[in-house]
Amino acid sequence: MLNDRYTVKYYGWLVIMDVTDQGLRRPVKVARLKQPGRQGPEMELLDPHIIWASEGKFTLAGFERVKNEEGKAVEFAQSWLCALDFRPPEEPDGSRNVRPMR
């Protein structure tokens, strides 16, 4: 969950991985927030670092990349306040004990 007092809460799965960045021409670590049922681009943080962690919360700091009016990529410093949700995920109705068909 991404949250602070000024923004809306975003729920989803946080994935941190290495990718190849064509603009920087080098491998880059990225943090992506994948949201269930949401189509379109994911929220992404480049070169994330954990700045603070305590009691199931942590702050990731890095850079967000957006395109300006001229269509050029612009990066700016950004941090995400993340909170872990320890509740088990909800199962869709009727999905228990179901085997795939052959």
Side-chain angles (χ1 to χ4, degrees):
M1 175 178 69
L2 296 180
N3 179 32
D4 69 17
R5 63 182 155 212
Y6 302 109
T7 62
V8 180
K9 292 181 182 181
Y10 295 97
Y11 293 90
W13 291 271
L14 182 65
V15 179
I16 299 174
M17 65 183 127
D18 288 332
V19 298
T20 301
D21 188 303
Q22 298 302 321
L24 297 175
R25 296 187 180 113
R26 66 175 173 91
V28 175
K29 188 169 296 298
V30 296
R32 291 181 178 158
L33 183 67
K34 297 178 177 275
Q35 295 177 283
R38 181 174 183 228
Q39 299 297 329
E42 303 164 341
M43 297 177 72
E44 186 174 80
L45 196 63
L46 302 168
D47 291 327
H49 293 85
I50 295 176
I51 302 299
W52 168 86
S54 179
E55 299 177 8
K57 296 179 183 176
F58 61 96
T59 302
L60 280 178
F63 298 91
E64 225 173 285
R65 182 182 292 156
V66 296
K67 290 191 177 181
N68 63 11
E69 298 84 27
E70 300 168 356
K72 294 182 181 178
V74 178
E75 294 178 359
F76 58 95
Q78 178 75 355
S79 27
W80 293 353
L81 173 60
C82 304
L84 301 177
D85 186 358
F86 294 108
R87 293 177 293 172
E90 295 179 14
E91 293 184 26
D93 293 336
S95 66
R96 292 183 183 199
N97 299 323
V98 175
R99 290 185 179 173
M101 294 179 61
R102 292 184 186 187

